[in-house]
Amino acid sequence: MDRLRINGGAPLRGKITISGAKNAALPLLAVGLMSDDTLVLENVPHLADTKSMEGLIRHHGVAVSRRDETVTLSGAASSFDAPYDLVRKMRASILVLGPLLARYGEARVSLPGGCAIGTRPVDLHIRAMQALGAIVELADGYIQARAPQGLTGGRIVFPMVSVGATENAIMAAVLAKGSSELVNAAREPEISDLADCLNAMGAQISGHGTDTIMIEGVNSLGGATHRVVADRIEAGTFAIAAGITGGSLTLKQARPRHLDALIEVLRLTGIDVREVDDDLIVTATDRVLATDISTNPFPGFPTDLQAQFMAMMCVADGSSRISETIFENRFMHVPELVRMGADISVDGGVAFVRGRRQLTSAPVMATDLRASVSLVLAALATEGQSEVSRIYHLDRGYSKLEEKLGQCGARLERINDGKEDDDVS
Ligand code: UD1
């Protein structure tokens, strides 16, 4: 298992180009199941998760090839079965359900794994498929779904906002007979990216980016070339890295419009944030001020930046209250930050952080993707040497992290002690 050895205390300065978004690339790779024509996806980040999804789509029989950041998908699927061994690595594997069902009338998908942040059920995905006429059974750890006559358009009212269920519903409804309406849909930029790609392939989707999405079903989709939107979570992570180390980073192609909530909060902490076209320039000169946040669906403060922001609040001037409203059990970074000297107490979904001038270096362990990067940020801000173990979590979501941070003055190296990574849940 790889570890990261970090010698902290140096302010980060320089330029980082933001990669394509993991959370946009994953559903877009699943779109490869929806057409026999060629789909070319550009700006697909090199990550453990995109590799897993490419493997899953290939398993279904579609030809998948990659050259640098461009992935080409073509041909029809021949297997509609997504087995546990492939799905357990990544929760987003559930995104093949809608495409397979819509295009082939059947899908058998193992119940997923993924980051251990709460129970994360898939009931909303299943209900969306049922609303489009699918017959769904749960047996032996699998979702077995059928629509022998094809799906039919319908009205799907989501009782709570779900990014993945909205994506599955869109992909299914695109090839259903008739019109569909998605009410209380997720508004994340990754949803719009998916809809833009599908529309380029011949789908008829409107209203994406709002909470009501309308879809006119079509018989088939053609090919397209689509560029994956920038990763707002990667950009936000580096913005916080500039803040926590008292440095200055220019984040190229960061798409500031997708980071409004974070930018507003960073300004409240006293960090200077400037938007220049698609770039973001983040400069911290003084110790940051404590600021409260509450996570919310887009356009609110992203849950995927909560851990990183908490790391920064650990060294802020004053006390902050951090409310996690999307996932239960998403404070697994707290005990590790406390090992580094942070003063945090948790009450249900709320963490109270009393800022300290300095954390202390310590060996810590990553527990999920965003929690692990929060530990890297804390270590970068701390004088002395820290080691973050189990960093395979980082490789699921951050492309070339050491290289990107290293070119901005971070002192970190990857150490491999030769053991195999297995547990990726
Ligand atoms: C996606 C993102 C993830 C992000 C999350 C919230 C991807 C690949 N992952 O995950 O990084 O943290 O959005 O922004 O895009 N829920 C149910 N039943 C369901 C589905 C979800 O109760 O069937 C609940 C979840 O447990 C959670 C909430 O809905 O409490 C939101 O989850 P959801 O938006 O679905 O997250 P994901 O799509 O899994």
Side-chain angles (χ1 to χ4, degrees), residues 22-24 26-27 49 90-95 117-127 160-167 186 188 190 232-233 296-298 302-305 324-328 330 369-370 396:
K22 166 179 90 76
N23 287 353
L26 296 177
D49 274 14
M90 187 183 57
R91 183 184 156 78
S93 310
I94 184 81
L95 293 171
I117 46 174
T119 48
R120 300 184 82 174
V122 289
D123 55 316
L124 302 176
H125 298 252
I126 291 170
R127 276 156 67 175
M160 64 192 288
V161 177
S162 163
V163 176
T166 300
E167 290 166 346
E188 270 67 3
E190 295 76 24
R232 63 198 167 94
I233 305 302
N296 274 303
F298 189 85
T303 174
D304 286 351
L305 289 174
E324 172 57 56
T325 73
I326 308 290
F327 291 111
E328 58 191 87
R330 205 176 196 181
L369 168 54
R370 307 303 170 183
R396 293 187 50 199

Side-chain angles (χ1 to χ4, degrees), residues 20-314:
K22 166 179 90 76
N23 287 353
L26 296 177
L28 287 167
L29 288 166
V31 168
L33 295 168
M34 298 176 66
S35 165
D36 296 357
D37 288 350
T38 301
L39 172 63
V40 179
L41 297 174
E42 299 171 346
N43 205 27
V44 180
H46 275 282
L47 300 167
D49 274 14
T50 46
K51 199 172 162 198
S52 294
M53 190 57 117
E54 287 163 39
L56 181 57
I57 305 305
R58 202 173 281 125
H59 161 87
H60 287 301
V62 168
V64 183
S65 61
R66 185 189 257 275
R67 193 160 173 220
D68 302 324
E69 317 276 88
T70 300
V71 177
T72 304
L73 305 109
S74 58
S78 48
S79 155
F80 315 123
D81 200 329
Y84 176 68
D85 256 6
L86 294 176
V87 172
R88 75 178 177 92
K89 295 185 178 173
M90 187 183 57
R91 183 184 156 78
S93 310
I94 184 81
L95 293 171
V96 301
L97 178 65
L100 288 174
L101 196 50
R103 173 82 175 77
Y104 298 101
E106 62 176 292
R108 186 169 178 271
V109 181
S110 168
L111 288 163
C115 282
I117 46 174
T119 48
R120 300 184 82 174
V122 289
D123 55 316
L124 302 176
H125 298 252
I126 291 170
R127 276 156 67 175
M129 298 305 119
Q130 288 169 327
L132 299 175
I135 304 152
V136 185
E137 285 166 56
L138 291 183
D140 311 323
Y142 277 78
I143 304 167
Q144 311 205 42
R146 283 180 298 123
Q149 312 304 321
L151 295 171
T152 43
R155 189 161 186 265
I156 304 172
V157 182
F158 292 103
M160 64 192 288
V161 177
S162 163
V163 176
T166 300
E167 290 166 346
N168 246 333
I170 290 174
M171 293 186 284
V174 155
L175 289 175
K177 292 184 202 83
S179 20
S180 297
E181 184 185 13
L182 276 52
V183 179
N184 198 25
R187 292 181 282 166
E188 270 67 3
E190 295 76 24
I191 304 273
S192 295
D193 205 37
L194 171 66
D196 289 344
C197 177
L198 286 165
N199 281 345
M201 296 167 77
Q204 293 185 24
I205 309 169
S206 58
H208 42 289
T210 77
D211 63 5
T212 306
I213 299 175
M214 307 294 299
I215 298 167
E216 280 302 322
V218 294
N219 287 331
S220 63
L221 295 174
T225 296
H226 179 83
R227 188 172 172 80
V228 177
V229 69
D231 195 322
R232 63 198 167 94
I233 305 302
E234 187 197 25
T237 300
F238 290 133
I240 295 170
I244 197 172
T245 62
S248 179
L249 292 177
T250 298
L251 307 176
K252 309 288 293 174
Q253 295 161 39
R255 291 294 284 270
R257 281 289 65 76
H258 294 165
L259 283 163
D260 282 340
L262 174 72
I263 291 172
E264 194 178 314
V265 171
L266 290 181
R267 287 183 176 144
L268 291 174
T269 69
I271 294 174
D272 181 50
V273 186
R274 276 179 296 143
E275 298 163 35
V276 182
D277 302 324
D278 248 6
D279 301 348
L280 206 55
I281 304 171
V282 185
T283 308
T285 40
D286 297 315
R287 186 178 176 200
V288 295
L289 303 173
T291 306
D292 298 343
I293 57 156
S294 175
T295 62
N296 274 303
F298 189 85
F301 191 98
T303 174
D304 286 351
L305 289 174
Q306 177 258 109
Q308 300 89 314
F309 189 78
M310 188 186 294
M312 188 166 76
M313 289 301 96
C314 291

